[in-house]
Amino acid sequence: MKTRTVSIVGMGLIGGSMALALREKGFADKVIGVESNPAHAEKALELGLADEILPLHKAVETSDLVVLATPINAAETLLPVVLDLATTQVIMDVGSTKKTICESADQHSRRGRFVASHPMWGTEYSGPEAAVKHAFANKATVICNREQSDADAVALIEELYGLLGMHLVYMNAEEHDVHVAYVSHISHITSFALANTVLEKEREENAIFELASGGFESTVRLAKSNPAMWVPIFMQNRDNVLDVLNEHISQLRKFKVSLEKENYAYLEELIEKANGIRRILK
Amino acid sequence: MKTRTVSIVGMGLIGGSMALALREKGFADKVIGVESNPAHAEKALELGLADEILPLHKAVETSDLVVLATPINAAETLLPVVLDLATTQVIMDVGSTKKTICESADQHSRRGRFVASHPMWGTEYSGPEAAVKHAFANKATVICNREQSDADAVALIEELYGLLGMHLVYMNAEEHDVHVAYVSHISHITSFALANTVLEKEREENAIFELASGGFESTVRLAKSNPAMWVPIFMQNRDNVLDVLNEHISQLRKFKVSLEKENYAYLEELIEKANGIRRILK
């Protein structure tokens, strides 16, 4: 296999986990970290996520691939800077929205070096300590607007995700942003709102969580997610998220109405409809 | 240890898992199953959950302990029947609401033989095939209105849950029903509603679930739960569930407003507040 140097900008949950995976799978011989938070930079070296930490321009210079793994607002600010510095390098992002970053990339003369991607893996934790080995495997990863990227750049990213054991899905950026509003962003909003619902109550009753078990944890764990990552996502995908949120509130209202009217046949129907999710989640 | 026969009425997820645990921990030498669904009865024997299946009155006659593990509406119908048959036997339920069944027990002259309990463990699956070994351990279990039960009956149930490795919590039935509305029932409603939100969308777009990953699964898995179990729970705990549901919808509306007004400082504040759940979920 070719000797490759990969720079990862943002040594957090995704960047750190990718560093571990790319080295383990032999995709990268050397991983350079770019990290604006000095404590995270130190931690990344200590945990062996990066071989060294370099300033952005030096990292890009010596790399074959640059992975933007910062929150999406920072990735968009950095993308034109990296494209300015790039010659033959490939640049990939891993952000949770794709329309805005693709539109911004389209303005750049070196657009072809950029591959817009979104690996559908994550946890509710953040920072270098959140990085884990064997992340990504058996999950889907999306490549958006492939036709705007150079063929060699796409081939490299396909090789990378293939080595990570991910299942490749191709779609355009707008389609992607609608889909993730449904299968990821709304889950985070319901989880945040559920946490706030019970935390409100906890102020009156300390014992409330004594009875919390697996079901509660499952629906609320995403509420631990980092606002620095999620505010920009909701900001950029505002229209889609609002559509889904309105739909979700109206679905909740059906449950409310069934209870208010004591219409338990309707309640049963709503639950049976929801059971249809068994077709999808095995 | 004393030789004991335990009857379990309802050989489903909870009854079946309890049968396995009680035998493994040496609490029961013999487990009799009572099961109105012939296919479930057969399955329970085949899986070794019960030593034999008997009609209710015969089962009660030869038992030291009768565990009511049916959906809560059936448990309430059966409780006076079992109390009528009981002499020295102890009767325990495992239902998700406690106020109605305790009120109904209070009418009975043999009230003292009944111990109202709710082990805080479950999964989204149901039926005898859903039964698992090593369920219950390290979770909380609630005993309600202990002072209404005979001391020997409470002692037996405490011994049982102690052997299962559960942490005992005592509260009155009304308090219990408020708490579970917050830490269990609302999680199921949000999950059902979330499933309906995305299933609605799926009718237009088949590809929607291709991108679903861990976060989605986590928030939606409870939507697989059985309506035969959950409709009676929502019915009996209607007032508490409606309170929490109204609060939850108003919390979701705050997210909606922050997005509509593009007030991202407020959105960040809402998320930071939700992050407070880190104190509770480690």
Side-chain angles (χ1 to χ4, degrees), chain A residues 79-101:
Chain A
L79 178 60
V81 177
V82 176
L83 285 172
D84 285 343
L85 293 165
T87 49
T88 58
Q89 292 89 331
V90 174
I91 298 107
M92 169 179 100
D93 85 321
V94 292
S96 300
T97 62
K98 297 265 77 75
K99 185 164 166 267
T100 319
I101 201 165

Side-chain angles (χ1 to χ4, degrees), chain A residues 120 179 183 187 196 205 213 216 218-219 221 223-225 238 246 253 256 259-260 270 274-275 278, chain B residues 120 179 183 187 196 205 213 216 218-219 221 223-225 238 246 253 256 259-260 270 274-275 278:
Chain A
M120 301 303 299
H179 280 62
V183 298
S187 287
N196 285 341
E205 301 209 42
S213 69
F216 178 73
S218 177
T219 46
R221 73 171 177 83
K224 297 188 229 171
S225 304
R238 173 179 174 266
N246 283 324
R253 277 217 201 87
K256 177 174 142 86
L259 287 169
E260 278 171 349
L270 291 172
N275 285 168
R278 292 177 187 154
Chain B
M120 300 304 299
H179 279 63
V183 298
S187 287
N196 285 341
E205 301 208 41
S213 69
F216 178 73
S218 177
T219 45
R221 73 171 175 84
K224 297 188 231 173
S225 303
R238 172 179 176 268
N246 283 326
R253 278 217 199 87
K256 177 175 142 87
L259 287 169
E260 277 170 350
L270 291 171
N275 284 170
R278 291 177 188 154

Side-chain angles (χ1 to χ4, degrees), chain B residues 143-162:
Chain B
I143 292 182
C144 285
N145 301 6
R146 164 171 55 165
E147 63 289 353
Q148 306 299 319
S149 304
D150 296 344
D152 71 298
V154 173
L156 185 75
I157 302 313
E158 287 174 340
E159 182 192 338
L160 179 155
Y161 281 126

Side-chain angles (χ1 to χ4, degrees), chain B residues 95-279:
Chain B
S96 300
T97 62
K98 297 266 75 74
K99 185 164 168 265
T100 319
I101 200 164
C102 283
E103 281 171 359
S104 125
D106 290 344
Q107 312 296 315
H108 203 283
S109 60
R110 296 212 186 96
R111 169 66 179 89
R113 305 315 297 154
F114 172 61
V115 179
S117 90
H118 182 197
M120 300 304 299
W121 176 87
T123 74
E124 64 273 36
Y125 303 106
S126 55
E129 289 102 330
V132 292
K133 282 183 183 175
H134 315 301
F136 308 110
N138 303 315
K139 301 289 179 188
T141 193
V142 189
I143 292 182
C144 285
N145 301 6
R146 164 171 55 165
E147 63 289 353
Q148 306 299 319
S149 304
D150 296 344
D152 71 298
V154 173
L156 185 75
I157 302 313
E158 287 174 340
E159 182 192 338
L160 179 155
Y161 281 126
L163 282 171
L164 263 45
M166 299 195 87
H167 161 60
L168 281 157
V169 180
Y170 302 91
M171 51 176 82
N172 71 52
E174 286 192 39
E175 236 184 303
H176 166 275
D177 287 7
V178 173
H179 279 63
V180 292
Y182 277 93
V183 298
S184 165
H185 303 176
I186 189 68
S187 287
H188 285 79
I189 290 193
T190 58
S191 220
F192 290 132
L194 198 52
N196 285 341
T197 303
V198 294
L199 289 167
E200 232 9 78
K201 182 69 183 174
E202 192 211 17
R203 288 157 50 171
E204 297 161 42
E205 301 208 41
N206 258 314
I208 195 166
F209 292 109
E210 219 169 344
L211 308 192
S213 69
F216 178 73
E217 173 147 7
S218 177
T219 45
V220 179
R221 73 171 175 84
L222 298 179
K224 297 188 231 173
S225 303
N226 188 357
M229 168 174 175
W230 282 96
V231 171
I233 292 173
F234 295 138
M235 214 171 195
Q236 285 193 7
N237 209 18
R238 172 179 176 268
D239 295 348
N240 292 320
V241 171
L242 266 175
D243 281 352
V244 184
L245 181 51
N246 283 326
E247 172 66 20
H248 180 55
I249 291 173
S250 91
Q251 291 292 346
L252 278 171
R253 278 217 199 87
K254 293 182 186 180
F255 283 86
K256 177 175 142 87
V257 166
S258 76
L259 287 169
E260 277 170 350
K261 307 212 162 171
E262 306 190 56
N263 184 346
Y264 298 113
Y266 182 41
L267 178 60
E268 188 172 357
E269 196 186 296
L270 291 171
I271 295 178
E272 276 167 1
K273 202 182 284 181
N275 284 170
I277 206 73
R278 291 177 188 154
R279 281 186 284 117

Side-chain angles (χ1 to χ4, degrees), chain B residues 14-146:
Chain B
I14 302 296
S17 299
M18 191 156 284
L20 292 170
L22 293 184
R23 201 149 24 191
E24 193 204 341
K25 299 296 182 182
F27 183 93
D29 302 283
K30 185 175 175 186
V31 174
I32 300 170
V34 178
E35 177 54 65
S36 60
N37 177 328
H40 285 191
E42 200 177 317
K43 201 45 146 178
L45 287 174
E46 188 188 316
L47 296 170
L49 304 178
D51 297 303
E52 60 179 327
I53 299 288
L54 288 179
L56 183 65
H57 68 281
K58 289 209 175 153
V60 174
E61 222 167 67
T62 56
S63 291
D64 301 287
L65 170 67
V66 179
V67 179
L68 297 175
T70 63
I72 57 170
N73 50 341
E76 274 165 36
T77 307
L78 295 174
L79 178 60
V81 177
V82 177
L83 285 171
D84 285 343
L85 294 166
T87 50
T88 60
Q89 292 89 332
V90 175
I91 299 106
M92 169 180 100
D93 86 321
V94 292
S96 300
T97 62
K98 297 266 75 74
K99 185 164 168 265
T100 319
I101 200 164
C102 283
E103 281 171 359
S104 125
D106 290 344
Q107 312 296 315
H108 203 283
S109 60
R110 296 212 186 96
R111 169 66 179 89
R113 305 315 297 154
F114 172 61
V115 179
S117 90
H118 182 197
M120 300 304 299
W121 176 87
T123 74
E124 64 273 36
Y125 303 106
S126 55
E129 289 102 330
V132 292
K133 282 183 183 175
H134 315 301
F136 308 110
N138 303 315
K139 301 289 179 188
T141 193
V142 189
I143 292 182
C144 285
N145 301 6
R146 164 171 55 165

